[in-house]
Amino acid sequence: MAAASPSVFLLMVNGQVESAQFPEYDDLYCKYCFVYGQDWAPTAGLEEGISQITSKSQDVRRVLVWNFPIDVTFKSTNPYGWPQIVLSVYGPDVFGNDVVRGYGAVHVPFSPGRHKRTIPMFVPESTSKLQKFTSWFMGRRPEYTDPKVVAQGEGREVTRVRSQGFVTLLFNVVTKDMRKLGYDTGPVDTQGPSLP
Amino acid sequence: MVSEKSHVDSQQEPRQEEPETGLLNMPARRGPRSLPPIPSASRTGFAEFSMRERMREKLQAARSKAESALLQEIPTPRPRRLRSPKERESETEFGTEPGKEVQSIQQKDDAQIYSRVKFREQKIKSKPQAPPGFPSAEEAYNFFTFNFDPEPEESEEKTKMKARDGTSQEEEAGEEEEPPVRGGSKTDEEGLLNGKDAEDFLLGLEHMANDFVAVRPADYESVHVWLQKEKEILFIPSRLTVPTYKKLPENVQPRFLEDEGLYIGARPEVAPTNQNIMENRLLVQEPRNDFGPSARSQGRRWFGDDGRILALPSPIRPFPCRPLLSTREQSTKAELETLYRKAVKYVHSSKHMVGSGDPPGNFQLDIDISGLLFTHHPCFSREHVLAAKLAQLYDQYLARQQRNKAKFLTDKLQALRNAVQASLSPETPQQSLDTNQKTIKEYKYEIRQTRKLRDAEQEKDRNLLKTLIKVWKEMKSLREFQRFTNTPLKLVLRKEKFDQKADEEAYEAEIQAEINELLEEHTEEYEQKMEEYRASYQQWKAWKKAQRAKKRKKKEAAEEHPEEEAEEAPPGEEPVKPVPPEPTDPGELEQKVRERAAHSRRRPGEPLLLPELSLAGSVTPNEQCPRVEVLRREDVRRRCVYLKVLFNNKEVSRTVSRQLGADFRVHFGQIFNLQIFNWPESLTLQVYETIGHSSTTLLAEVFLPIPETTVVTGRAPIEEVEFSSNQHVTLDHEGVGSGVPFSFEADGSNQLTLMTSGKVSHSVAWAVGENGIPLIPPLSQQNIGFRSALKRADAISSIGTSGLTDMKKLAKWAAESKLDPNDPNNAPLMQLISVATSGESYVPDFFRLEQLQQEFNFVSDEELNRSKRFRLLCLRSQEVPEFRNYKQIPVYDREIMEKIFQEYEKRLRDRNVIETKDHIDTHRAIVAKYLQQVRDSVINRFLVAKHHFLLTDLVVEEEVPNISILGLSLFKLAEQKRPLRPRRKGRKKVTAQNLSDGDIKLLVNIVRAYDIPVRKPPASKFQPPSRSARAFSEKHVASPSTHSPAHSPDYALGQVLVRPFVEVSFQRTICHTTTAEGPNPSWNEELELPFRAPNGDYSTASLQSVKDDVFINIFDEVLYDVSEDDRERGSGIHTRIERHWLGCVKIPFSTIYFQARIDGTFKIDIPPVLLGYSKERNMILERGFDSVRSLSEGSYITLFITIEPQLVPGESVREKLSMLKKFESQEDEKLLQATEKFQAECALKFPNRQCLTTVIDISGKTVFVTRYLKPLNPPKELLNAYPSNPQATAELVARYVSLIPFLPDTVSFASICDLWSTSDQFLDLLAGDEEEHAVLLCNYFLFLGKKAWLVMGNAIPEGPTAYVLTWEQNHYLIWNPCSGHFYGQFDTFCPLKSVGCLIGPDNIWFNIQQYDSPLRINFDVTKPKLWKSFFSRSLPYPGLSSVQPEELIYQRTDKAAAAELQDRIEKILKEKIMDWRPRHLTRWNRYCTSTLRHFLPLLERSQGEDVEDDHRAELLKQLGDYRFSGFPLHMPYSEVKPLIEAVYSTGVHNIDVPNVEFALAVYIHPYPKNVLSVWIYVASLIRNR
């Protein structure tokens, strides 16, 4: 295959779901998955994962550290539908039911290099106070039908959410052939030798 | 823990020694430390020793003393982390271990560090609150984690002092030693660093880690201490106002530019506290930052002359504004071009009227006309003229006196002189010499100017006084001359005496000063001139020399131009002479000055004259006057004057007419209140004069200015406006007339011409309302109103509005009109101009809507449209079906095949073209097309709705439970987590989104079957079968020895009649069960079939539209012995397995998907004729013991089908759409409300029962369901077929209806909604689902006079469906409209399993009985306890008109076309069968085919019943030597494809016996309206040998 004219570009993401700050909750685990457009296809690695349960650190920071690795490679022909990572964090409530503690999404960084992202997490709100009480009581909090809806804008106007905490992610992004296909994402100074 | 307390005890001497040796010795020394002070040990030790506290304290004291001594040796560069490690714990250690001998043996190298450490301890010790207790865990933690900062040296000293204070007396003793020691330590420092090995020091560091693990209590510093510290570190500027003197240089008074008349813009608003803080900070911080000599002034540069912080004028505009929109001048498109039309002012609304939007115009203008005074009048006598002049002069005098300019200038002069004196004096050191010189020069210049001005002023004053006196003298002489007095004017000159001497001195001093100055001036001038002179002289000299040289030359050369020389000489000679008259100057000057002073100034000693004009004089009475004078006076008396007030050139009022007084004054004293409605444009007073009773003449017009808004009544000053008239009046009496020359002199010389003139005193002001609000129109309007008046000053009016956007124009205008930049009114304008002109910013003269659009267009639009990739992306985002799920659109255009679009384009093109290739008859093609279009439009609508989300689509939320559920769940809380008897839990439903291929499986559990047809025993045949043709199985099962057909009874009883197995095929995947035996087999097997969604799209919408069917085929497995020879039987078995199709059940996937599971017994669709099989036998056999089952004809199979994992069925979009009110309706609103109510009530009671009140018709409108039911005529042929047998007719009609192809709505419309078409539409479309069939059937039954209802309920396998219920004489029948079968109410095999509601032509009844199975309910709808009716007494049936047509019209179907179609289908099927057998030769038995073809019409006629025997007999007769297996298939005709599928699913083609032959016959029976009944007879024949 001619390296000069590639027909796809590759995006390799690895990194980790580092830590989270949920001031009110403890013993959380998180799930991640990637949402991407139709022109994207994963070629290697895991598209989704579920982490271990972590407890709060005993120091002042009170962070929940997962350090849960992410490693996935995509190929694509079109930057439209750039992959987003969708995180959902779960943990037990007072009665021991697993309930969702936060949803969040962020685009995989465009430019190659090391990126740290802190994303705010939120959960959908109950429609009424009574609902809120019963959902708390029954341990069945409102959830998204699919966590992937947080990665899209459509239909979000009907939901109301409440913020919950933050999750810090670390990405190491490597791209291949983006520049050859005419997509220039990197900062100017870190660009390799420019093509003739 | 720090154990090394040795140094406390150890003396300085050993330490001094040891540093040198220490390096080597250290390890050795460490060893001896046999009792290492482990923390735990020390703690316990402490406990023991706690009583020794006292002693310890003492020791501490001693130690500290020693420490201080040690301090000297501590090298200054201390390692940071060692700084403050231990404070408290180490102390405790000290206490615990002092007695131990071991410690006294110490390492010297550590000592340094320890000493330091101890030093720290000392500090802490001084704090009283810290207990001397144990080190806690926290302290230990602190020790390791704290970051210790180095302390400054000085503080150490301090703390040391403190520590000393706290410690005991023992220490005090040592105190004396300290100071000297410390002094030494400082000097030693360097030496220590270098000399005392640094290595030592480093080693010490290493130990630290181990040795200095000390635990100490947490630091606590009290708030006060903190505050103290903060105070040291932080600087918090005060909030108090800074006194002005601090902000200004010393001895400078604040200077307020504003007071000096300069304009200063409004400062931006800042809170005073903030400002104070800033000022304080600047004052304190600035000097600190730059330590220069000018530090103080540096700080001050932030302050202005007025002592306030410098600030730019506030940039905030006082009123909001918007940039003017103006289109581009050269617009390319003509439509967008703006035509400019001059604005036509709408006079009334904007200009004259006070705006209608404002509060009702309650504005008032008060005009006070107090009086009128003529300064000249035709009736003036000469004396009057003089008097007027005198009065005028006196006024002038008074005005001058008031201003007293001369005095002012004199004072100024004096001040200047003083200033010069001051600056000349030596004690002004701060200014440099030359600046001083400069200022003096300036002062002097100013003095000169001022003096000149003063002189001029003084002269004027004097002249005025002189003329005043002169006029008065003239007047006096005139009075004397005419011997009467006309005016009471009297001028009195008051003399003011001065002290002669002082006056003289002052005068002299003044003159002297002046002289001096002049002298100076002159000398200066002289010097300057001398300078010039010298220069010119030099020049001249040079010139002269040159001249001479020239002369000589010329003389020598030629003497032709003597004049030239003469001419040239004078310029050179001029400067030679001017030797200034220096000596003569003083005298001359003095003389000059004195002369001028005498001229313009009061002479010394001369009294100051103060004129005073009074009206005290007496006027000569009439009697004493001459006749002419009397006449004049009479004339004056006859004259009356009044004023008209004109507002906007309209007379609004007039004053009373008043007589002209003798002094030519008229007093009016009238106030006019003008209620303004129109905008004030002009205000005019007209002066009219009437003479006697004759006409009035307009003397003059007086224009009054319209007052400013600030002028309100009470504050307005009385003003005088002058007027004059140009009338010419000549009078015949003493009056001088007007416009006529006259003279005071007797000789008539020195003529004067005076015109009538005068003054009106008035005041104009805005009135004040009752509540003190001035009745002034709003300012905004005023601007418009003032336009005329302020034209010059108002920028907008003078250059036009457009000028405001053009900065250059504006700037130009500003320059031209000489705007006062210090006028506050102009401030914003000036700012604007300065910004615009200085910044050189380019202000475009157009506004662009999409800026930068051009820059973003990277290719032209055409190019973009040509791009295939772009087009593909567009189509995909539009969700065009072909591209909806297109993945990985290629990067380059060249990689996109043109082919991709072809299909799409073709579809677009063919939208209206009817294609008959796929559809064999044209009518169906048209229908298909139409259906497609309906489908498209509905899908489009659905796609729109799909993007409309409800909360439930996104968020899963538990519904609010009612109290009972809540209670239950409360119990659940108490329940055990793991009960001993677990209960079944529902499967978790999976949302269809995150699925992929292979995730979903279809589970088919085949339980058992009943009444499978059995093989017909060959015995019944008339022809003995050949041996080899006997079924192997038969033989096998029967006793091997009995081969003979003679044993048929045994055979019939004993052998396996059939060996059925079930094959399930779905999406071309085939699974089959094991083979069971007997007609009532039980398999109980689970088959797993993978499910693949179209395009890998597992979205709900996609799954709903899966059209695949699950085929469940029942086969009979037949084993044939193929052994050629009986002899081989012993050694080997050669059998061939054949499978004979017995029947099938077809279940659409969509049904499974919506039902989630299908569980039940289904009737197997068995062809009416199965050659070689029969049921009769079976029935005969079983009748005895299984009579119940035999009631129903046919075979049944029990199945359980589900999808794993369970999918959440897409809710039908109908609810969503109806919620969105997408579908409009023509129904009455009340009816719709009633339906909603009814449905809600029903759903509340029986949520699972189907209740239907409104449906959506094919055009998308909501229609009440009963409108669909109406008697409709079935085709005549059907009625005529069995004229006498109504039951047969009904069956025929049902058959006709069932022949109309079935097409589920959910599939065609992706479950968007049930669309109900009317019966005529249904017949036109020839496709519909259960509802349409049921409606049509019900309508036919109604026509036939039956009582019929539509039954809405659940059936298997369809799920929610519609059946038809009829009332026969004494029982109910349930009709399946799609199959044409009917069942009795109590038929257990009736597929209808539950009944939700009944629908009749005029009412709806909802089932409110306890049960809903048709077996257990009562269908008597008249009982309100069992059936809840929609229309009742409260809501009577309104008589809804039907949506059905009046009558159905049936065309006869073209028989020829049907025949043609029949041939074509036959041909196609034959080809297909040959295709399916690619490896074998397919032979067609024509003879058999023709036999079958004859047979098929018979089948049609008899509807597939009771023909088998005849048929069989006939076949056997004809095809005696063939083994024959085959069956006819019967189907309604819609397309060819389902036919092919059906044939394929039978597996006829799978026979691979080499000599097999096939027969296939097709028969199409046409029914009216193009309803075709298709019969396909497929058979395979194997020739018996």
Side-chain angles (χ1 to χ4, degrees), chain B residues 217-231:
Chain B
D219 290 331
Y220 169 70
E221 278 179 287
S222 74
V223 182
H224 299 290
V225 179
W226 265 114
L227 289 178
Q228 199 85 35
K229 277 191 182 175
E230 271 179 11
K231 219 178 255 177

Side-chain angles (χ1 to χ4, degrees), chain B residues 984-1004:
Chain B
R984 184 198 156 107
K985 271 186 188 170
R987 282 191 299 165
K988 202 187 170 192
K989 289 187 178 181
V990 177
T991 41
Q993 280 149 341
N994 37 11
L995 294 170
S996 60
D997 280 349
D999 282 357
I1000 303 181
K1001 286 177 191 117
L1002 196 69
L1003 298 185
V1004 183

Side-chain angles (χ1 to χ4, degrees), chain B residues 278-338:
Chain B
M278 191 69 205
E279 283 176 359
N280 277 314
R281 195 181 141 190
L282 283 173
L283 281 174
V284 179
Q285 219 164 12
E286 275 296 310
R288 210 184 264 178
N289 285 348
D290 33 14
F291 300 91
S294 57
R296 204 102 181 109
S297 62
Q298 279 287 340
R300 282 194 197 107
R301 75 193 150 156
W302 295 98
F303 298 100
D305 291 339
D306 53 353
R308 302 177 70 187
I309 273 189
L310 291 174
L312 292 175
S314 169
I316 300 165
R317 298 191 71 160
F319 45 86
C321 68
R322 189 175 65 160
L324 289 162
L325 300 180
S326 58
T327 46
R328 242 188 286 178
E329 280 168 314
Q330 276 128 1
S331 167
T332 46
K333 292 187 179 174
E335 307 91 81
L336 296 175
E337 216 165 329
T338 316

Side-chain angles (χ1 to χ4, degrees), chain B residues 619-830:
Chain B
V619 178
T620 317
N622 274 3
E623 304 90 282
Q624 294 169 14
C625 293
R627 215 177 84 77
V628 279
E629 173 59 16
V630 176
L631 273 178
R632 188 193 70 82
R633 289 191 186 180
E634 271 169 12
D635 192 17
V636 169
R637 218 166 293 137
R638 273 196 297 146
R639 292 179 187 242
C640 289
V641 177
Y642 66 90
L643 295 178
K644 278 184 182 173
V645 181
L646 278 82
F647 180 75
N648 288 355
N649 297 328
K650 281 187 201 117
E651 188 191 336
V652 288
S653 58
R654 61 172 75 178
T655 63
V656 287
S657 182
R658 287 278 163 93
Q659 214 176 37
L660 196 62
D663 50 359
F664 295 95
R665 255 173 221 277
V666 182
H667 180 72
F668 295 110
Q670 273 187 301
I671 297 176
F672 301 98
N673 298 329
L674 300 190
Q675 292 280 347
I676 294 183
F677 196 66
N678 289 348
W679 189 264
E681 282 260 279
S682 67
L683 204 53
T684 317
L685 299 179
Q686 286 182 334
V687 184
Y688 283 89
E689 190 185 46
T690 42
I691 304 165
H693 299 288
S694 63
S695 63
T696 54
T697 47
L698 173 65
L699 277 184
E701 278 193 331
V702 186
F703 295 95
L704 303 184
I706 287 152
E708 292 201 46
T709 47
T710 49
V711 180
V712 287
T713 311
R715 272 199 271 154
I718 299 282
E719 284 168 25
E720 287 187 333
V721 183
E722 289 185 351
F723 64 89
S724 68
S725 143
N726 52 359
Q727 64 172 179
H728 294 265
V729 183
T730 324
L731 294 169
D732 50 355
H733 47 74
E734 265 295 278
V736 291
S738 169
V740 185
F742 69 95
S743 162
F744 287 102
E745 260 70 25
D747 53 4
S749 66
N750 202 2
Q751 284 198 336
L752 260 164
T753 307
L754 291 172
M755 307 299 263
T756 310
S757 64
K759 292 184 213 167
V760 180
S761 58
H762 71 284
S763 77
V764 184
W766 296 100
V768 180
E770 300 134 22
N771 42 5
I773 299 165
L775 304 169
I776 305 166
L779 192 70
S780 58
Q781 292 178 341
Q782 222 144 8
N783 280 341
I784 308 162
F786 277 123
R787 187 175 286 182
S788 56
L790 299 174
K791 202 144 201 176
R792 187 82 187 92
D794 188 5
I796 296 175
S797 56
S798 68
I799 56 174
T801 347
S802 63
L804 279 183
T805 50
D806 190 339
M807 283 303 142
K808 282 180 186 143
K809 227 192 230 176
L810 192 64
K812 201 174 146 206
W813 169 82
E816 273 173 3
S817 63
K818 294 202 177 68
L819 272 187
D820 182 4
N822 285 328
D823 184 357
N825 287 334
N826 299 330
L829 207 57
M830 293 311 289

Side-chain angles (χ1 to χ4, degrees), chain B residues 434-681:
Chain B
D434 56 330
T435 52
N436 204 359
Q437 284 292 332
K438 209 172 151 195
T439 44
I440 289 172
K441 223 175 194 174
E442 275 169 12
Y443 280 149
K444 281 188 174 164
Y445 176 72
E446 214 164 320
I447 287 171
R448 255 167 253 160
Q449 296 294 322
T450 320
R451 202 176 53 226
K452 269 179 204 160
L453 278 175
R454 187 208 49 187
D455 287 349
E457 284 296 316
Q458 278 177 338
E459 203 168 349
K460 262 188 210 162
D461 276 358
R462 220 171 150 72
N463 282 343
L464 186 64
L465 201 58
K466 272 182 187 166
T467 33
L468 201 63
I469 293 165
K470 193 183 148 213
V471 171
W472 173 238
K473 277 182 181 159
E474 265 177 15
M475 205 167 148
K476 273 208 285 197
S477 64
L478 183 67
R479 279 183 183 160
E480 266 171 36
F481 170 72
Q482 63 189 17
R483 287 191 308 274
F484 58 86
T485 321
N486 260 345
T487 53
L489 281 185
K490 201 173 169 187
L491 191 74
V492 182
L493 286 173
R494 231 165 6 102
K495 283 180 190 173
E496 222 169 291
K497 293 230 171 171
F498 286 94
D499 177 20
Q500 174 91 27
K501 207 156 184 204
D503 209 21
E504 229 164 328
E505 269 169 31
Y507 186 75
E508 201 57 34
E510 178 65 48
I511 283 174
Q512 282 308 322
E514 213 171 309
I515 287 165
N516 283 346
E517 278 162 27
L518 280 177
L519 262 179
E520 212 170 306
E521 202 176 317
H522 278 267
T523 35
E524 235 167 81
E525 222 168 288
Y526 169 75
E527 269 163 31
Q528 212 174 326
K529 273 183 183 168
M530 275 304 282
E531 201 79 3
E532 273 169 40
Y533 161 76
R534 269 176 217 134
S536 54
Y537 186 72
Q538 287 296 334
Q539 256 180 336
W540 179 77
K541 257 189 172 175
W543 178 78
K544 200 90 177 181
K545 266 184 196 167
Q547 202 72 4
R548 257 177 229 143
K550 249 188 212 170
K551 256 184 199 169
R552 257 176 252 138
K553 272 183 197 167
K554 275 182 185 173
K555 270 177 193 172
E556 284 160 20
E559 297 172 14
E560 289 155 346
H561 309 290
E563 315 100 304
E564 228 181 71
E565 269 173 62
E567 276 173 357
E568 279 170 328
E573 273 157 54
E574 243 183 353
V576 187
K577 277 151 200 177
V579 184
E582 234 179 308
T584 55
D585 201 23
E588 207 174 306
L589 258 181
E590 193 177 338
Q591 207 177 335
K592 246 193 219 167
V593 168
R594 281 188 195 281
E595 208 172 287
R596 207 182 324 148
H599 193 243
S600 66
R601 237 175 281 171
R602 191 169 50 85
R603 242 157 264 141
E606 193 187 76
L608 183 68
L609 286 178
L610 292 176
E612 249 171 73
L613 194 65
S614 66
L615 299 174
S618 62
V619 178
T620 317
N622 274 3
E623 304 90 282
Q624 294 169 14
C625 293
R627 215 177 84 77
V628 279
E629 173 59 16
V630 176
L631 273 178
R632 188 193 70 82
R633 289 191 186 180
E634 271 169 12
D635 192 17
V636 169
R637 218 166 293 137
R638 273 196 297 146
R639 292 179 187 242
C640 289
V641 177
Y642 66 90
L643 295 178
K644 278 184 182 173
V645 181
L646 278 82
F647 180 75
N648 288 355
N649 297 328
K650 281 187 201 117
E651 188 191 336
V652 288
S653 58
R654 61 172 75 178
T655 63
V656 287
S657 182
R658 287 278 163 93
Q659 214 176 37
L660 196 62
D663 50 359
F664 295 95
R665 255 173 221 277
V666 182
H667 180 72
F668 295 110
Q670 273 187 301
I671 297 176
F672 301 98
N673 298 329
L674 300 190
Q675 292 280 347
I676 294 183
F677 196 66
N678 289 348
W679 189 264
E681 282 260 279

